[in-house]
Amino acid sequence: MLTYHRIQSIDDPQFPAMHQLLGTIFPPEEVLAYELWREPLEDPTIHVYVALHDGKVVGATEYRYYADMQVAMTDFTIIGEPNMGIGRFLMRQREKDLQKLAAKAGNTPIGMFAEIYDPYRAQSHEFGGVSPMNPIVRREVLSHMGYKRLNFTYVHPSWDHEGNAVSELDLCFLPADEELQKLPANLIATFLETYYSALPNKPKQWQDMVDKLKSKTDVELMPL
């Protein structure tokens, strides 16, 4: 049986296993250094949970809800073991928690952002050799869930604080209204500036991308 455990400190006994899982699954530029997790975990708006099976960390997810924009963001979802229903478990627990957060804020979310690997640009990463984390599998699963690709060329600042541009992912959105066909470009730009405010070093490609978004009206939601 899986249990859902929130981590709010790097001193939590489950944090070392979660951080090791992050490093096993994701490439180095996507993983925040161990000690640098201390401040984010103490932020009550950042929700980091692990899935435990017999006391062992077998999965993890991080997300947040921006009440002023009425959007959520899934930072990551990690499935550490196949054939245990971890992905479904994390998704349902996250959904329930986000519903509570939106209700507490007194509004209704319009959807959730996520950065999703393009399997053709991320072929060099093994993702821990865990088959559910293969980018082809993940992209298809997230497409089935209803995620759509935002129609612009996306880069993001590396989480290693080196200020490099990471370009192997698409920015995607899971709309609450399945008929939604576009998002306001200014909403996307505001979200990205808010989300990446924690990283002081940002590449020029990222700033150029944000400036271009601000010059547009809408961005199409495309099939994933």
Side-chain angles (χ1 to χ4, degrees):
M1 185 174 180
L2 297 171
T3 57
Y4 200 53
H5 172 71
R6 186 175 185 182
I7 295 180
Q8 293 181 278
S9 169
I10 66 171
D11 300 320
D12 186 304
Q14 304 297 348
F15 178 72
M18 189 207 79
H19 193 265
Q20 183 178 10
L21 189 60
L22 278 169
T24 299
I25 296 296
F26 294 124
E29 65 271 17
E30 295 287 7
V31 181
L32 193 64
Y34 193 101
E35 186 61 36
L36 293 180
W37 273 91
R38 184 175 295 278
E39 187 174 346
L41 286 174
E42 293 173 352
D43 183 340
T45 68
I46 296 176
H47 296 254
V48 178
Y49 282 84
V50 292
L52 298 175
H53 183 261
D54 292 337
K56 177 187 175 184
V57 173
V58 294
T61 187
E62 178 183 347
Y63 51 93
R64 58 196 83 190
Y65 183 60
Y66 297 91
D68 55 338
M69 291 182 271
Q70 293 178 250
V71 297
M73 170 66 174
T74 299
D75 301 271
F76 61 77
T77 299
I78 298 176
I79 300 167
E81 301 284 347
N83 306 319
M84 292 180 65
I86 297 168
R88 174 72 180 177
F89 174 79
L90 292 174
M91 182 187 76
R92 292 294 296 133
Q93 296 298 325
R94 183 174 59 232
E95 283 179 346
K96 292 175 186 177
D97 199 18
L98 285 169
Q99 287 172 1
K100 291 177 183 177
L101 293 172
K104 185 177 180 180
N107 59 28
T108 302
I110 62 173
M112 180 160 53
F113 288 102
E115 295 171 332
I116 299 174
Y117 277 98
D118 179 342
Y120 301 103
R121 285 180 284 158
Q123 292 183 45
S124 61
H125 302 311
E126 296 182 2
F127 296 90
V130 180
S131 56
M133 296 300 297
N134 181 288
I136 295 176
V137 175
R138 285 172 58 78
R139 199 170 176 98
E140 188 62 26
V141 168
L142 292 166
S143 176
H144 276 67
M145 286 171 58
Y147 274 97
K148 296 182 179 180
R149 178 179 61 84
L150 285 158
N151 192 24
F152 69 100
T153 301
Y154 183 65
V155 298
H156 78 75
S158 60
W159 284 99
D160 56 11
H161 284 251
E162 294 295 325
N164 297 316
V166 179
S167 60
E168 297 177 338
L169 302 98
D170 293 311
L171 185 63
C172 300
F173 192 73
L174 175 62
D177 177 4
E178 292 186 9
E179 302 303 315
L180 192 69
Q181 296 183 355
K182 57 188 178 181
L183 278 185
N186 193 55
L187 170 65
I188 303 168
T190 300
F191 162 73
L192 289 173
E193 288 181 322
T194 303
Y195 183 68
Y196 281 107
S197 62
L199 292 180
N201 298 324
K202 299 182 181 70
K204 183 178 183 298
Q205 298 98 309
W206 183 86
Q207 191 59 60
D208 290 346
M209 175 193 73
V210 172
D211 290 342
K212 188 173 181 180
L213 282 170
K214 290 179 178 179
S215 71
K216 301 177 68 173
T217 302
D218 301 299
V219 177
E220 293 176 291
L221 288 164
M222 307 294 290
L224 185 59

